[in-house]
């Protein structure tokens, strides 16, 4: 009954942007955790895109392949560095994932109708943009572009952390998100 706050991580952040533009009356605010904004610019870095597509191909293969968890972990480790415990947790999460979501990314179907320079100016609600290291999904250049295109944006940079801010720094993440939510 009330507008929702959307919290999206990675591909979920991109879905949150699209939802906020498709149904602005239903979205109170969006929180973008390490959004791969570079995927939606008019002229993406094709080398970086190719790396992302290959990573998602491997992940989709892990989801759909048979075999033992050891075999699946070995395959996942080629694109997801981590110890055995982290890989085991990742496998558990991937078992809940619909492989067609990854097909959507691999075939770049999201980019057919959604161009960042057209989407972001249409976002009417407050946005929290969580940015990590420069080599993670939200690049410095695309964070700057987002700040120029969004009407109401708060950006927080969290250094020395990778793509999974919520897992790597849960207390700091919760504090930042709570502070933002209390401001809207």
């Amino acid at each position: 009954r009330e507008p929702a706050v959307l919290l999206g991580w990675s591909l979920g952040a991109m879905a949150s942007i699209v939802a906020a533009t498709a149904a602005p009356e239903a979205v109170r605010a969006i929180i973008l955790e390490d959004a791969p904004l570079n995927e939606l610019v008019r002229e993406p870095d094709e080398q970086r895109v190719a790396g992302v597509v290959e990573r998602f191909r491997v992940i989709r293969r892990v989801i759909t392949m048979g075999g033992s968890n050891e075999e699946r972990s070995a395959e996942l480790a080629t694109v997801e560095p981590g110890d055995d415990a982290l890989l085991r947790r990742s496998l558990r999460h991937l078992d809940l994932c619909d492989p067609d979501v990854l097909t959507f990314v691999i075939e770049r179907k999201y980019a057919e109708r959604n161009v960042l320079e057209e989407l972001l100016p249409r976002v009417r609600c407050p946005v929290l943009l969580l940015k990590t290291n420069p080599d993670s999904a939200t690049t410095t250049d695309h964070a700057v572009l987002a700040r120029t295109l969004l009407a109401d944006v708060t950006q927080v940079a969290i250094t020395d952390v990778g793509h999974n801010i919520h897992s790597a720094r849960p207390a700091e993440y919760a504090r930042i998100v709570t502070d933002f939510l209390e401001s809207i």
Side-chain angles (χ1 to χ4, degrees):
R1 294 180 188 198
E2 298 294 321
V5 174
L6 304 178
L7 189 153
W9 167 50
S10 194
L11 180 58
M14 306 309 281
S16 295
I17 292 169
V18 172
T21 60
E25 69 287 346
V27 180
R28 182 173 175 212
I30 56 177
I31 299 166
L32 307 175
E33 179 185 352
D34 205 22
L37 300 174
N38 59 301
E39 297 287 321
L40 294 181
V41 294
R42 284 191 209 290
E43 297 178 23
D45 176 343
E46 291 302 328
Q47 183 176 1
R48 186 175 173 119
V49 169
V52 169
V53 166
E54 181 54 30
R55 180 174 173 270
F56 277 94
R57 280 192 177 112
V58 171
I59 292 170
R60 181 178 61 185
R61 189 167 47 247
V62 168
I63 293 170
T64 59
M65 71 187 276
S68 68
N69 277 349
E70 290 77 21
E71 293 168 323
R72 295 172 70 222
S73 285
E75 181 75 10
L76 184 59
T78 65
V79 294
E80 294 279 330
D83 59 35
D84 286 348
L86 180 61
L87 288 169
R88 182 181 171 108
R89 184 183 80 185
S90 294
L91 282 178
R92 171 80 169 108
H93 291 167
L94 291 176
D95 286 340
L96 302 172
C97 182
D98 179 349
D100 285 339
V101 170
L102 302 178
T103 301
F104 186 74
V105 174
I106 291 165
E107 294 176 3
R108 301 198 69 227
K109 292 185 177 191
Y110 60 87
E112 292 171 3
R113 296 178 310 255
N114 301 306
V115 176
L116 195 68
E117 295 90 341
E118 295 170 9
L119 280 175
L120 292 186
R122 295 188 353 235
V123 174
R124 297 184 199 160
C125 61
V127 176
L128 173 60
L129 178 63
L130 297 173
K131 183 188 172 334
T132 64
N133 295 326
D135 61 343
S136 200
T138 304
T139 66
T140 300
D141 290 345
H142 293 103
V144 169
L145 177 62
R147 284 196 322 265
T148 64
L149 296 173
L150 289 164
D152 185 356
V153 63
T154 301
Q155 179 181 325
V156 177
I158 302 171
T159 58
D160 300 324
V161 66
H163 188 52
N164 303 335
I165 304 167
H166 61 278
S167 293
R169 302 251 183 93
E172 184 177 4
Y173 180 79
R175 182 201 53 81
I176 292 166
V177 169
T178 300
D179 287 348
F180 174 73
L181 292 175
E182 289 179 358
S183 76
I184 58 173

